[in-house]
Amino acid sequence: MNASVSIKHTQAECDLFDRFKAAKADLAGSVAVTALREAALGQIRDKGLPHRRVEEYKYSDLRAFMKSATPLAPAADADTIKAVLDGQDSYAGLERYRIVIANGTFQADLSDTGALASEGVSLTALSDVLAGENGTTMLTPPKSGPNDGVLALNTAFLQGGVVIAVKAGAHVTKPVELVQVATAAGAQVTRNRITLGKGAKLRLLETFIGDPGEGELNTVFDYDLSDEAALAATRLIVGDARGARLFTSIATLGADAEFKSLGFIAGPRFTRNQQFINFTGENSEAKIYGVTMAGGDTLADQTLVVDHAVPHCNSREFFKTVLDGRARGVYQGRINVAPHAQKSDGEMMTQALLLSEEAEMANKPELEIFADDVLCAHGATSGQIDEDLLFYLRARGIPEAEARTLLVLAFLSEAIEEYGEDDVTEGLEERVRAWLADH
């Protein structure tokens, strides 16, 4: 006898169901896309929001955190968007192109569409693609996370985003900042597809500014690298956000491709930055870095799954975490090596520095290997500031507070500098100093 098990929905889940009823008619998409939205909402209805009894969310219980769910953010006017952009520049002084999404909607008039076109980059509103015959291809889940609850939320409530296509052989000369702006309270749910043609190169800066109040931000970046393409993606997740910050990367790498990313977290109350990397062509390389700073009662989760599905590919994962107050840090990393993926080379390291007795760090590195000719390793450490080093600096006349700052900065800078994007290194290290000054 099979008995169906029903769950008691939380207030936030009930709010989500009401949100879908209210917004369904306005959400972009063909009939097939709408069916996928309804199926994704059905997953939330059947299983609830991700919670601690789901292995992947054991240490970051979204269901417990979300007490309610706000409506989707309303449309924004150009003047208000410009005011927020002018007041909160994440990379002041850095010459770059800019692509703007505001309250979940691509703003072509405020983006450098013409300049990017001259560099071989085309921009298309995701809402236009979702309404077309191939709209469902924008919602394909990663191989390693088909039932992920955060992705289901994204699919159900997806407002918009942008499709960025870099033509084959194009080397974009300046970084491209994709900035998502909140001008009003409410949830923002976006998805962005970044496609690089053969031999194309792009440096992408992903930033998020404004105040959505209690509304969650749920955004997906879908990277598709053709053979010999190269992408560097820097994600900046900062500010005292009250709502959940949910980020997902889906990267597919062709042959001889190079992908590297840095997820920088500092401030929000609840952050989950999850990445799914899949090698589909041989002789490719992925370098994934993470820098996390959390204090007070905040939670910061860096989750990573790398699928070595073909031979002769390399992956390197290097994550640094600093925790203060009663903050909780999470690192979950898994390297999968398929049976035929011989000569795979994967290394994973996560290191945490705890600045208080009440801070907690959960490290969960994993290897799942089904091939016999591979080089794979993982490591994890957690500890406090080395008192001998602190004494050494103080003995040379450096005040204790400054000495602690120097040691923590050196700890985190190892990942920032190994990432190797000189355009952003100094700015990120300044953010580290500013965070330390407040903790």
Side-chain angles (χ1 to χ4, degrees), residues 330-394:
V330 180
Y331 173 79
Q332 301 180 103
R334 188 169 79 244
I335 297 176
N336 299 325
V337 182
H340 56 280
Q342 305 294 347
K343 303 295 183 181
S344 293
D345 186 348
E347 291 185 9
M348 180 189 307
M349 173 58 74
T350 170
Q351 298 175 334
L353 190 62
L354 279 59
L355 304 183
S356 76
E357 295 291 337
E358 296 179 295
E360 296 180 7
M361 182 69 196
N363 283 320
K364 188 186 174 188
E366 300 175 273
L367 300 175
E368 192 168 281
I369 303 171
F370 295 98
D372 53 12
D373 189 5
V374 303
L375 289 173
C376 288
H378 65 63
T381 66
S382 293
Q384 299 175 322
I385 287 179
D386 189 321
E387 293 297 329
D388 289 339
L389 290 177
L390 185 61
F391 176 79
Y392 178 88
L393 293 175
R394 294 187 66 191

Side-chain angles (χ1 to χ4, degrees), residues 15 27 29 35 85 104 127 129 144 149 153 158 176 224 232 255 276 281 294 301 310 338 343 348 358 375 386 431-432:
D15 290 344
L27 293 172
L85 287 171
S127 56
V129 181
S144 303
L153 273 178
L158 179 58
V176 175
D224 188 357
F276 302 95
D301 179 340
V310 296
K343 303 295 183 181
M348 180 189 307
E358 296 179 295
L375 289 173
D386 189 321
R431 288 184 177 274
V432 173

Side-chain angles (χ1 to χ4, degrees), residues 53-128:
R53 292 184 180 177
V54 177
E55 181 64 25
E56 293 81 5
Y57 289 83
K58 179 178 180 180
Y59 305 106
S60 49
D61 191 333
L62 180 61
R63 196 172 196 237
F65 174 78
M66 285 186 66
K67 304 302 183 185
S68 61
T70 65
L72 293 173
D77 65 87
D79 290 340
T80 304
I81 299 170
K82 289 178 181 177
V84 176
L85 287 171
D86 292 341
Q88 300 182 44
D89 190 345
S90 298
Y91 290 100
L94 176 62
E95 189 175 352
R96 64 205 186 273
Y97 298 118
R98 180 175 266 178
I99 298 170
V100 179
I101 295 172
N103 293 3
T105 304
F106 171 50
Q107 307 291 321
D109 293 341
L110 298 177
S111 303
D112 295 323
T113 53
L116 285 168
S118 67
E119 293 260 23
V121 181
S122 65
L123 306 178
T124 306
L126 182 69
S127 56
D128 294 340

Side-chain angles (χ1 to χ4, degrees), residues 310-333:
V310 296
H312 302 285
C313 290
N314 300 330
S315 67
R316 296 290 183 269
E317 298 81 36
F318 190 28
F319 286 73
K320 295 273 196 172
T321 302
V322 172
L323 303 174
D324 197 8
R326 292 184 292 176
R328 289 179 294 149
V330 180
Y331 173 79
Q332 301 180 103

Side-chain angles (χ1 to χ4, degrees), residues 111-247:
S111 303
D112 295 323
T113 53
L116 285 168
S118 67
E119 293 260 23
V121 181
S122 65
L123 306 178
T124 306
L126 182 69
S127 56
D128 294 340
V129 181
L130 292 175
E133 294 182 1
N134 299 319
T136 57
T137 62
M138 294 289 118
L139 305 179
T140 303
K143 173 185 174 183
S144 303
N147 297 315
D148 183 74
V150 167
L151 273 173
L153 273 178
N154 185 276
T155 298
F157 295 102
L158 179 58
Q159 296 167 286
V162 64
V163 178
I164 304 170
V166 185
K167 72 178 184 180
H171 294 186
V172 183
T173 57
K174 294 189 290 188
V176 175
E177 181 188 17
L178 197 161
V179 54
Q180 299 193 166
V181 182
T183 68
Q188 291 195 43
V189 186
T190 62
R191 189 171 295 208
N192 306 290
R193 169 71 63 86
I194 296 92
T195 302
L196 274 66
K198 182 176 181 180
K201 293 184 178 181
L202 176 68
R203 291 172 293 159
L204 185 67
L205 309 175
E206 302 164 3
T207 58
F208 312 86
I209 60 176
D211 183 9
E214 299 290 340
E216 81 269 13
L217 174 62
N218 185 330
T219 187
V220 174
F221 286 84
D222 188 347
Y223 313 115
D224 188 357
L225 279 66
S226 299
D227 297 351
E228 303 173 23
L231 172 65
T234 308
R235 179 169 300 163
L236 200 58
I237 309 170
V238 297
D240 298 323
R242 288 165 283 167
R245 294 294 173 263
L246 309 171
F247 301 89

